[in-house]
PDB file of all heavy atoms in Angstrom:
ATOM      1  N   GLU X 283     -13.190  15.077   6.699  1.00 98.00           N
ATOM      2  CA  GLU X 283     -13.746  14.286   7.800  1.00 98.00           C
ATOM      3  C   GLU X 283     -14.762  13.237   7.348  1.00 98.00           C
ATOM      4  O   GLU X 283     -14.652  12.050   7.661  1.00 98.00           O
ATOM      5  CB  GLU X 283     -14.405  15.196   8.841  1.00 98.00           C
ATOM      6  CG  GLU X 283     -15.053  14.381   9.972  1.00 98.00           C
ATOM      7  CD  GLU X 283     -15.745  15.229  11.043  1.00 98.00           C
ATOM      8  OE1 GLU X 283     -16.207  16.343  10.724  1.00 98.00           O
ATOM      9  OE2 GLU X 283     -15.816  14.762  12.179  1.00 98.00           O
ATOM     10  N   THR X 284     -15.777  13.688   6.633  1.00 98.00           N
ATOM     11  CA  THR X 284     -16.879  12.778   6.315  1.00 98.00           C
ATOM     12  C   THR X 284     -16.398  11.597   5.486  1.00 98.00           C
ATOM     13  O   THR X 284     -16.698  10.436   5.786  1.00 98.00           O
ATOM     14  CB  THR X 284     -18.000  13.519   5.570  1.00 98.00           C
ATOM     15  OG1 THR X 284     -18.309  14.725   6.251  1.00 98.00           O
ATOM     16  CG2 THR X 284     -19.249  12.655   5.464  1.00 98.00           C
ATOM     17  N   LEU X 285     -15.645  11.898   4.443  1.00 97.00           N
ATOM     18  CA  LEU X 285     -15.223  10.828   3.538  1.00 97.00           C
ATOM     19  C   LEU X 285     -14.278   9.848   4.234  1.00 97.00           C
ATOM     20  O   LEU X 285     -14.407   8.624   4.093  1.00 97.00           O
ATOM     21  CB  LEU X 285     -14.580  11.434   2.288  1.00 97.00           C
ATOM     22  CG  LEU X 285     -14.179  10.451   1.208  1.00 97.00           C
ATOM     23  CD1 LEU X 285     -15.336   9.577   0.757  1.00 97.00           C
ATOM     24  CD2 LEU X 285     -13.607  11.211   0.000  1.00 97.00           C
ATOM     25  N   VAL X 286     -13.338  10.374   5.002  1.00 98.00           N
ATOM     26  CA  VAL X 286     -12.408   9.496   5.737  1.00 98.00           C
ATOM     27  C   VAL X 286     -13.199   8.557   6.653  1.00 98.00           C
ATOM     28  O   VAL X 286     -12.961   7.349   6.694  1.00 98.00           O
ATOM     29  CB  VAL X 286     -11.395  10.336   6.548  1.00 98.00           C
ATOM     30  CG1 VAL X 286     -10.686   9.486   7.592  1.00 98.00           C
ATOM     31  CG2 VAL X 286     -10.378  10.988   5.609  1.00 98.00           C
ATOM     32  N   LEU X 287     -14.158   9.119   7.371  1.00 98.00           N
ATOM     33  CA  LEU X 287     -14.924   8.285   8.303  1.00 98.00           C
ATOM     34  C   LEU X 287     -15.848   7.300   7.587  1.00 98.00           C
ATOM     35  O   LEU X 287     -16.000   6.157   8.024  1.00 98.00           O
ATOM     36  CB  LEU X 287     -15.735   9.159   9.259  1.00 98.00           C
ATOM     37  CG  LEU X 287     -14.921   9.883  10.333  1.00 98.00           C
ATOM     38  CD1 LEU X 287     -15.839  10.714  11.207  1.00 98.00           C
ATOM     39  CD2 LEU X 287     -14.128   8.893  11.186  1.00 98.00           C
ATOM     40  N   SER X 288     -16.467   7.736   6.505  1.00 98.00           N
ATOM     41  CA  SER X 288     -17.333   6.808   5.769  1.00 98.00           C
ATOM     42  C   SER X 288     -16.550   5.567   5.374  1.00 98.00           C
ATOM     43  O   SER X 288     -17.000   4.429   5.571  1.00 98.00           O
ATOM     44  CB  SER X 288     -17.891   7.464   4.502  1.00 98.00           C
ATOM     45  OG  SER X 288     -18.846   8.450   4.808  1.00 98.00           O
ATOM     46  N   ILE X 289     -15.388   5.788   4.819  1.00 98.00           N
ATOM     47  CA  ILE X 289     -14.591   4.662   4.340  1.00 98.00           C
ATOM     48  C   ILE X 289     -14.081   3.810   5.500  1.00 98.00           C
ATOM     49  O   ILE X 289     -14.238   2.587   5.515  1.00 98.00           O
ATOM     50  CB  ILE X 289     -13.422   5.156   3.459  1.00 98.00           C
ATOM     51  CG1 ILE X 289     -13.974   5.820   2.194  1.00 98.00           C
ATOM     52  CG2 ILE X 289     -12.474   4.008   3.124  1.00 98.00           C
ATOM     53  CD1 ILE X 289     -12.916   6.481   1.324  1.00 98.00           C
ATOM     54  N   LEU X 290     -13.467   4.464   6.482  1.00 98.00           N
ATOM     55  CA  LEU X 290     -12.907   3.686   7.594  1.00 98.00           C
ATOM     56  C   LEU X 290     -14.001   2.955   8.371  1.00 98.00           C
ATOM     57  O   LEU X 290     -13.840   1.797   8.741  1.00 98.00           O
ATOM     58  CB  LEU X 290     -12.121   4.593   8.546  1.00 98.00           C
ATOM     59  CG  LEU X 290     -10.805   5.168   8.024  1.00 98.00           C
ATOM     60  CD1 LEU X 290     -10.155   6.029   9.108  1.00 98.00           C
ATOM     61  CD2 LEU X 290      -9.837   4.074   7.570  1.00 98.00           C
ATOM     62  N   ASN X 291     -15.108   3.633   8.625  1.00 98.00           N
ATOM     63  CA  ASN X 291     -16.145   2.985   9.433  1.00 98.00           C
ATOM     64  C   ASN X 291     -16.757   1.788   8.717  1.00 98.00           C
ATOM     65  O   ASN X 291     -17.013   0.753   9.334  1.00 98.00           O
ATOM     66  CB  ASN X 291     -17.239   3.991   9.821  1.00 98.00           C
ATOM     67  CG  ASN X 291     -16.886   4.730  11.093  1.00 98.00           C
ATOM     68  OD1 ASN X 291     -16.326   4.152  12.028  1.00 98.00           O
ATOM     69  ND2 ASN X 291     -17.189   6.016  11.143  1.00 98.00           N
ATOM     70  N   HIS X 292     -16.974   1.931   7.431  1.00 98.00           N
ATOM     71  CA  HIS X 292     -17.542   0.798   6.705  1.00 98.00           C
ATOM     72  C   HIS X 292     -16.540  -0.339   6.570  1.00 98.00           C
ATOM     73  O   HIS X 292     -16.802  -1.482   6.964  1.00 98.00           O
ATOM     74  CB  HIS X 292     -18.019   1.223   5.318  1.00 98.00           C
ATOM     75  CG  HIS X 292     -18.512   0.068   4.503  1.00 98.00           C
ATOM     76  ND1 HIS X 292     -17.687  -0.643   3.651  1.00 98.00           N
ATOM     77  CD2 HIS X 292     -19.715  -0.551   4.452  1.00 98.00           C
ATOM     78  CE1 HIS X 292     -18.376  -1.628   3.106  1.00 98.00           C
ATOM     79  NE2 HIS X 292     -19.609  -1.591   3.564  1.00 98.00           N
ATOM     80  N   ASP X 293     -15.413  -0.039   6.019  1.00 98.00           N
ATOM     81  CA  ASP X 293     -14.469  -1.113   5.699  1.00 98.00           C
ATOM     82  C   ASP X 293     -13.926  -1.788   6.957  1.00 98.00           C
ATOM     83  O   ASP X 293     -13.688  -3.007   6.974  1.00 98.00           O
ATOM     84  CB  ASP X 293     -13.324  -0.565   4.839  1.00 98.00           C
ATOM     85  CG  ASP X 293     -13.785  -0.183   3.443  1.00 98.00           C
ATOM     86  OD1 ASP X 293     -15.005  -0.002   3.228  1.00 98.00           O
ATOM     87  OD2 ASP X 293     -12.922  -0.033   2.546  1.00 98.00           O
ATOM     88  N   THR X 294     -13.743  -1.007   8.014  1.00 98.00           N
ATOM     89  CA  THR X 294     -13.268  -1.572   9.275  1.00 98.00           C
ATOM     90  C   THR X 294     -14.315  -2.485   9.900  1.00 98.00           C
ATOM     91  O   THR X 294     -13.982  -3.547  10.446  1.00 98.00           O
ATOM     92  CB  THR X 294     -12.894  -0.421  10.238  1.00 98.00           C
ATOM     93  OG1 THR X 294     -11.780   0.286   9.684  1.00 98.00           O
ATOM     94  CG2 THR X 294     -12.526  -0.932  11.617  1.00 98.00           C
ATOM     95  N   ALA X 295     -15.576  -2.088   9.814  1.00 98.00           N
ATOM     96  CA  ALA X 295     -16.646  -2.947  10.348  1.00 98.00           C
ATOM     97  C   ALA X 295     -16.652  -4.293   9.637  1.00 98.00           C
ATOM     98  O   ALA X 295     -16.768  -5.351  10.268  1.00 98.00           O
ATOM     99  CB  ALA X 295     -18.002  -2.262  10.199  1.00 98.00           C
ATOM    100  N   ILE X 296     -16.516  -4.253   8.314  1.00 98.00           N
ATOM    101  CA  ILE X 296     -16.551  -5.506   7.552  1.00 98.00           C
ATOM    102  C   ILE X 296     -15.298  -6.338   7.819  1.00 98.00           C
ATOM    103  O   ILE X 296     -15.377  -7.550   8.055  1.00 98.00           O
ATOM    104  CB  ILE X 296     -16.679  -5.215   6.037  1.00 98.00           C
ATOM    105  CG1 ILE X 296     -17.862  -4.292   5.736  1.00 98.00           C
ATOM    106  CG2 ILE X 296     -16.773  -6.526   5.262  1.00 98.00           C
ATOM    107  CD1 ILE X 296     -19.195  -4.761   6.208  1.00 98.00           C
TER     108      ILE X 296
END
Side-chain angles (χ1 to χ4, degrees):
Chain X
E283 177 181 28
T284 312
L285 184 55
V286 164
L287 287 180
S288 289
I289 295 174
L290 290 181
N291 273 322
H292 176 268
D293 291 18
T294 295
I296 307 303

